[in-house]
């Protein structure tokens, strides 16, 4: 076989995609190399090789494999994989340039609803490319363009969750309801997928004559291809009209828009045995169901023409009674022969529909009627006619012809009359002249007259087992709903997911803007199944952590460890929570566990470093944090923890460098801005400390500790009134904040407002009754208010709680005695 044989490349591509789907990446890479050897100049081969390298984590190899076609923008797959490799290799400008050059290949692509368990789209659509462009621009420190790309990605696909998270992390104010809503792309994708994935039993109607084509055109109908085995495409491009007889006629007769479509399995039309292709003007004889507005499958996307008079009379002339009470206009063959010229299809359709019986699918009811179908209900007249027809050698027809006649579209009045001609008239006379036995003996003739296609004398099988594939209505289970409801259910599922993502997005948006109480309330409204997932639990734990409710946060992270012990994300926060709780044993256990899970993760080394820091081994902690930074240079929190340890060692210059590296990795990392302010405060640079504290507070305006730090700096700058405002704001944000309330009381004492200071200290005493400083300040306030007994009481309590501060406390008590002596002398 020649290497240039296209079938060789086709087989190799199938093997490559097979191994990619099975996640056998090395096999896929091997076959991709064979494909490139077979087609050296193929861009697709380069794309597949680059894709395999990228999934294997070999980013440099992926970059080199896709560089030539990817950088030129001649192949979308190569450009996309090349840009992904550039993002990993920090070659951001090259990736952006490659995607911009290939814009003509992806700008109009929409992959929504085109991924199933049997179908893949390996080339990205516009939403995915815009998300990647946003990541590249963000890494390139161009926030404005990154935001534009993320917004465009969400506009095309609201489920582009990565783009939404990036917008929230960048601090962008987004309107959640405007993101998670139905889009035109989603609606069109639903319609397209519904038409493309129609069960294989539905055939296209194919024009076979110019007269039929003209008739269809007059109805405003777009005729499909001539292939009778092709899948119906009548609903593509928003054309949601159902096929002939299934919507317009059924709605007119029954007051419902429900259509009947063949089942995919068990009850669908089969292709085996189809003798000839169907024509556009020929209709299916479904034992009178067409005259009741229930054409199986609905084969033409337009309202059907009215049925010919003779067809209605002939169908009714078999003695088949479809209801227990005959409709007023349903007459016998003899009666209808006298009123032939007065009967039309418009008179028959509504009355026949009103006589439609209740259908049943039980095994005992599956008996064959004159045309070979199995009706849902066995009725007396129908049973008699069926038994007679089964014994007549002229009546039976082959199953293939029967199937063929059932799926034929209805022919118009003019075409039906033209095709039947004089022979049809003679056979109608036969039907009128015979009795019950004669009528059943000419079943094949009647079928030919109705469908215009059957041959006289074709044999018909009478095996009851074959009836399950001949009629949609006979095979549909009693409680099954037509496929049109599947589209409704798809839409309902989409709306449910959009509502769910609205809640998830609203919660994450509130948390990213540090509106922790709102985030907790939103996440609490989720269904229990969604709430008890690691991601949601992590967000709830993070919200309590930001509020300094470490005990509550620890409960959520403990739940995460129980249901997902191998999860590494957010474990650095959990280790910090345990550090604040001084839970040394649990912190050490956590460090050992996540090191066992992945010792090359930065979260693991942050946990180990926090464990050493809690033991006051700052040098070992610094080594661990440096290792975390080596593993991931963009991990901002590791830089921040490193800076905290440098402050503990009083290495302020190194701390400044660590905090600045953290800000470079994540500009909105308020902990690093707080660290810079703390360093400047310790260095006595209060104005610079205040500016950095204010930046941190602008990022996280609900953090009472940051506001309190601003007040402390202002107090040191001898601006007590401004400091008092900050302390009051901090107390409003966190009523149980002991530090802010204590500093507020001290400033009130300085401003000689003892009554207000006393109120704050009493509240504080209830919160921390064993704090010596609180009792010492209470003694000073009572001393100012000249309540000697209360003052001595609280001075004594403070002395007992903190004996080391006995000198200061005794001095305050002696001053109080000296003041009493001076007062006595003055008197």
């Amino acid at each position: 076989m020649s290497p240039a044989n296209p079938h060789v490349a086709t087989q190799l591509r199938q093997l490559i995609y097979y191994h990619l789907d099975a996640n056998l990446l090395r096999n896929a890479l091997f076959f991709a190399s064979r494909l490139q050897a077979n087609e050296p100049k193929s861009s697709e081969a380069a794309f597949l090789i680059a894709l395999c390298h990228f999934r294997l984590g070999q980013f440099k190899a992926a970059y080199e494999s896709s560089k030539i076609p990817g950088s030129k923008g001649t192949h979308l797959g190569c450009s996309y994989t090349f840009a992904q490799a550039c993002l990993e290799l920090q070659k951001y400008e090259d990736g952006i340039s490659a995607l911009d050059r290939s814009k003509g290949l992806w700008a109009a692509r929409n992959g929504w609803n085109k991924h199933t368990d049997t179908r893949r789209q390996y080339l990205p659509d516009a939403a995915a490319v815009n998300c990647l462009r946003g990541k590249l621009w963000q890494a390139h420190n161009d926030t404005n363009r990154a935001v534009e790309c993320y917004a465009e990605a969400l506009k095309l696909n609201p489920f582009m969750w990565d783009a939404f998270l990036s917008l929230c992390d960048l601090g962008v104010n987004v309107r959640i309801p405007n993101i998670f809503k139905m889009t035109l792309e989603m609606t069109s994708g639903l319609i397209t997928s519904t038409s493309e994935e129609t069960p294989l039993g539905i055939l296209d109607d194919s024009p076979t004559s110019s007269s039929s084509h003209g008739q269809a055109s007059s109805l405003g109908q777009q005729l499909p291809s001539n292939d009778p085995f092709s899948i119906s495409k009548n609903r593509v491009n928003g054309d949601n009209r159902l096929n002939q007889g299934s919507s317009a006629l059924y709605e007119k007769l029954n007051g419902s828009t429900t259509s009947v479509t063949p089942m995919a399995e068990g009850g669908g039309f089969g292709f085996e045995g189809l003798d000839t292709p169907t024509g556009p003007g020929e209709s299916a004889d479904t034992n009178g169901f067409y005259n009741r507005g229930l054409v199986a499958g609905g084969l033409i996307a337009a309202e059907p023409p009215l049925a010919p008079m003779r067809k209605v009379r002939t169908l009714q002339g078999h003695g088949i009674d479809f209801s227990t009470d005959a409709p007023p206009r349903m007459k016998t063959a003899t009666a209808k022969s006298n009123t032939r010229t007065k009967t039309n299809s418009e008179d028959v359709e509504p009355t026949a529909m009103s006589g439609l019986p209740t259908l049943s699918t039980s095994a005992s009811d599956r008996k064959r009627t004159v045309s070979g179908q199995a009706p849902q209900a066995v009725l007396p007249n129908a049973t008699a006619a069926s038994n007679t027809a089964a014994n007549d050698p002229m009546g039976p027809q082959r199953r293939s012809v029967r199937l063929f006649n059932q799926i034929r579209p209805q022919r118009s009045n003019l075409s039906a009359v033209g095709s039947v001609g004089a022979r049809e008239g003679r056979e109608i006379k036969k039907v009128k002249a015979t009795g019950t036995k004669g009528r059943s003996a000419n079943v094949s003739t009647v079928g030919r007259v109705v469908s215009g296609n059957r041959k006289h004398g074709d044999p018909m099988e009478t095996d009851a087992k074959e009836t399950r594939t001949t009629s949609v209505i006979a095979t549909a289970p009693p409680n099954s709903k037509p496929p049109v409801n599947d589209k409704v259910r798809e839409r309902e599922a989409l709306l449910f997911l959009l509502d769910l993502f609205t809640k998830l997005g609203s919660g994450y948006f509130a948390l990213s803007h540090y509106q922790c109480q709102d985030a907790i309330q939103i996440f609490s409204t989720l269904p229990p199944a969604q709430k008890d997932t690691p991601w949601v639990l992590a967000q709830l734990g993070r919200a309590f952590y930001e509020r300094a409710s470490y005990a509550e946060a620890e409960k959520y992270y403990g739940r995460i460890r129980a249901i997902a012990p191998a999860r590494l994300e957010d474990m650095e926060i959990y280790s910090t929570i345990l550090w604040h709780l001084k839970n040394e044993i649990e912190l050490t256990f956590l460090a050992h566990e996540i090191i066992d899970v992945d010792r090359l993760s930065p979260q693991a080394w942050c946990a180990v470093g926090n464990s050493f820091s809690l033991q006051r081994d700052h040098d070992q902690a610094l080594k661990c944090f440096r290792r975390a930074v080596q593993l991931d240079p963009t991990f901002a929190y590791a830089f921040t923890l490193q800076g905290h340890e440098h402050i503990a060692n009083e290495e302020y210059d190194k701390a400044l460098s660590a905090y600045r590296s953290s800000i470079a990795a994540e500009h909105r990392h308020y902990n690093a801005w707080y660290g810079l302010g703390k360093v400047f405060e310790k260095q006595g640079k209060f104005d610079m400390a205040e500016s950095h504290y204010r930046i941190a507070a602008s990022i996280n305006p609900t953090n009472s500790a940051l506001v309190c730090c601003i007040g402390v700096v202002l107090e040191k700058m001898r601006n007590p009134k401004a400091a008092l405002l900050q302390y009051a704001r901090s107390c409003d944000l966190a009523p149980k904040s002991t530090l802010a309330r204590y500093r507020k009381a001290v400033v009130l004492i300085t401003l000689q407002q003892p009554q207000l200071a006393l109120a704050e200290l009493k509240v504080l005493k209830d919160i921390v009754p064993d704090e010596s400083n609180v009792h010492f300040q209470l003694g000073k306030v009572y001393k100012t208010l000249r309540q000697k007994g209360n003052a001595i009481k609280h001075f004594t309590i403070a002395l007992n709680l903190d004996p080391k501060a006995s000198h200061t406390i005794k001095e305050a008590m002696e001053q109080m005695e000296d003041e009493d002596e001076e007062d006595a002398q003055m008197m």
Side-chain angles (χ1 to χ4, degrees), residues 292-475:
R292 288 154 178 78
L294 296 176
V295 172
L299 302 176
I300 302 177
E303 186 174 354
L306 298 178
M309 293 182 296
R310 63 176 61 86
K311 296 182 181 181
V312 176
R313 185 181 65 257
T314 304
L315 284 172
Q316 296 171 356
H318 293 303
I320 302 174
D321 188 6
F322 287 92
S323 64
T324 56
D325 297 330
R329 303 195 186 197
M330 295 287 289
K331 299 181 180 180
T332 61
T334 306
K336 290 201 301 182
S337 64
N338 296 331
T339 60
R340 175 178 180 181
T341 58
K342 298 180 182 180
T343 306
N344 53 39
S345 59
E346 295 180 357
D347 296 334
V348 173
E349 287 174 357
T351 58
M353 190 62 207
S354 64
L356 187 64
T358 304
L359 303 181
S360 173
T361 57
S362 61
S364 62
D365 294 341
R366 294 178 183 172
K367 296 184 179 181
R368 195 177 300 279
T369 58
V370 293
S371 65
Q373 277 189 310
Q376 295 295 326
V378 179
L379 303 175
N381 295 339
T383 306
S386 175
N387 294 337
T388 304
N391 297 326
D392 190 357
M394 299 298 294
Q397 296 185 359
R398 290 182 301 174
R399 177 190 178 196
S400 60
V401 178
R402 195 164 64 251
L403 288 176
F404 172 72
N405 286 325
Q406 289 171 3
I407 61 176
R408 288 215 165 187
Q410 177 66 25
R411 177 177 290 181
S412 65
N413 294 337
L414 295 177
S415 60
V417 173
S419 63
V420 175
R423 182 179 179 182
E424 179 184 5
R426 289 195 299 273
E427 294 177 7
I428 293 176
K429 291 179 181 179
K430 285 183 181 181
V431 174
K432 293 195 298 181
T434 58
T436 305
K437 182 176 181 180
R439 287 195 300 271
S440 59
N442 290 283
V443 171
S444 62
T445 303
V446 175
R448 184 182 61 80
V449 173
V450 175
S451 65
N453 191 50
R454 292 185 179 177
K455 298 179 181 179
H456 181 74
D458 285 346
M460 180 190 299
E461 298 176 1
T462 59
D463 187 2
K465 295 180 180 179
E466 297 178 5
T467 62
R468 65 179 181 271
T469 59
T470 60
S471 173
V472 173
I473 301 178
T475 56

Side-chain angles (χ1 to χ4, degrees), residues 521-537:
Q521 292 178 357
I522 294 171
F523 285 128
S524 298
T525 62
L526 290 172
Q530 295 291 333
K531 184 179 178 181
D532 196 30
T533 55
W535 189 86
V536 177
L537 292 173

Side-chain angles (χ1 to χ4, degrees), residues 5 80 108 118 534 552 640 686 731:
N5 191 331
Y80 189 76
T118 58
E552 288 294 326
T640 301
F686 300 124
C731 291

Side-chain angles (χ1 to χ4, degrees), residues 708-728:
C708 184
C709 289
I710 297 174
V712 171
V713 173
L714 290 173
E715 189 178 355
K716 290 180 178 180
M717 295 171 68
R718 298 182 179 180
N719 190 355
K721 292 183 178 180
L724 181 61
L725 294 176
Q726 298 297 325
Y727 293 143

Side-chain angles (χ1 to χ4, degrees), residues 10 92 146 177 204 215 221 226 272 274 314 365 388 412 491 525 595 630 712 732 770 783 810:
T10 301
Y92 310 122
D204 276 348
Q215 180 182 357
Q221 169 184 334
N226 293 329
E272 61 271 13
L274 291 180
T314 304
D365 294 341
T388 304
S412 65
R491 183 179 180 86
T525 62
I595 277 288
Q630 290 176 353
V712 171
D732 293 338
D770 296 332
K783 174 185 171 183
K810 289 179 179 179

Side-chain angles (χ1 to χ4, degrees), residues 481-494:
K481 296 183 179 180
V484 68
N485 286 342
D486 292 339
K487 185 189 296 184
V488 175
R489 289 177 179 176
E490 279 191 50
R491 183 179 180 86
E492 290 176 352
L494 272 178

Side-chain angles (χ1 to χ4, degrees), residues 31 58 67 105 184 201 321 358 371 495 550 594 612 650 688 768 778:
F31 286 106
Q58 302 169 358
K67 183 175 182 179
L105 301 176
L184 294 177
D321 188 6
T358 304
S371 65
L495 292 176
Y550 301 121
I594 60 179
F612 281 116
E650 297 183 354
M688 295 184 67
V768 281
L778 277 170

